Structure formats: C-alpha cells, structure tokens
Amino acid sequence: MLKVYLSGEIHTDWREVIVAGAKGLDVEFSAPVTDHAASDDCGVSIMGAEADKVWHDNKGAKLNAIRTRKGIADADVVVVRFGDKYKQWNAAFDAGYAAALGKSLIVLHGPDHQHALKEVDAAALAVTDTPEQVVQILRYVLTAELL
C-alpha cells in the first residue's frame, strides 16, 4: 500500500479529485484538517482562550503541526498543492519538511507560480498542473501502466 499525504490549499476540491481518481488503487490518503475554522481555533478550543491573536494562532499552529508532522513522516509520497488565491506559506513549509525527510514529493500548482516556487519545484520528483496528473503518477508508480 502506498501512503500519500495531501498537503496545501484547502479552498478547492483537488483532494477529492485525487481520491476519486485513485479509486481501485492500493493507496491510503491522509491530510491536514481542512475545516479552516477548526484548524484556526483548535488550540484555544482545547487549551483555552487567548487575549492576543498571535497566541491564539500559535496554539492552533502547534496542534496542527502534530498532525502534519505525523502525516508527512508516515507518508511514502507527499503531494503539496499551491492554490491561486492565497499565499500558502504552510504548504511551502510542508514541502521543505517532506524534502528534508527524503519523502517522494509531488508539487501541484498552476503556471503562474512557476517562478515563485522554482526552489520547491527543484526539490520535487514531479511538478504537476492538475490533480488528474497526480492520479496518473500514482497509477504509474503502483501499476507501471500509462493511460
């Protein structure tokens, strides 16, 4: 079984496209918490409110890091998606962390980000434009078949 961690942008359905496209393949997917409000507020919901927003965010970031580190460490392949609308610093961090651990890294972004992400792309084993290309890579890795 291939364990794949799906990191990055949370505002589109790219994860669902990959999971649906990989149906029938021996793949287990994991991901960060994609409920934006839950991800932002988990720290204060569990450990108590903070008067200062920076500490509110700090608590949430640290709790989310537990899940993220575990997911990346357990993965065989890490897919990192950079969306068009927001700057995803966390996605870049996840890509760097995965690369530092020697994980097979697939980066997914549009052509508008090519220059800004050139160093991230250089660390990846594949750079894709669409979730469907990620599915094709997973299928090829697992079955040696091209569609």
Side-chain angles (χ1 to χ4, degrees):
M1 174 178 299
L2 193 65
K3 294 181 180 181
V4 178
Y5 186 77
L6 302 173
S7 174
E9 182 261 315
I10 65 169
H11 302 285
T12 63
D13 68 348
W14 69 274
R15 285 181 181 84
E16 290 80 8
V17 172
I18 291 173
V19 171
K23 188 173 181 176
L25 295 176
D26 194 13
V27 180
E28 177 184 292
F29 292 101
S30 62
V33 173
T34 58
D35 177 322
H36 202 203
S39 176
D40 284 351
D41 296 337
C42 64
V44 295
S45 292
I46 296 169
M47 298 182 291
E50 291 290 343
D52 191 330
K53 181 71 168 137
V54 71
W55 298 116
H56 175 115
D57 289 345
N58 184 270
K59 279 184 176 179
K62 288 180 177 180
L63 286 189
N64 286 313
I66 296 169
R67 181 182 178 98
T68 300
R69 288 179 185 182
K70 173 80 170 130
I72 292 173
D74 289 350
D76 301 306
V77 175
V78 176
V79 179
V80 181
R81 160 83 173 145
F82 293 88
D84 297 328
K85 190 172 180 183
Y86 299 100
K87 305 245 187 286
Q88 288 105 41
W89 307 120
N90 59 322
F93 187 87
D94 290 355
Y97 185 63
L101 293 177
K103 300 297 177 173
S104 295
L105 178 62
I106 300 171
V107 174
L108 171 58
H109 64 74
D112 290 346
H113 291 330
Q114 183 277 323
H115 180 74
L117 294 172
K118 63 186 177 293
E119 287 83 4
V120 174
D121 289 352
L125 296 179
V127 178
T128 61
D129 295 322
T130 68
E132 292 82 7
Q133 290 174 320
V134 174
V135 172
Q136 290 176 351
I137 290 168
L138 297 176
R139 183 173 309 284
Y140 177 75
V141 166
L142 288 166
T143 68
E145 295 176 4
L146 295 171
L147 295 181

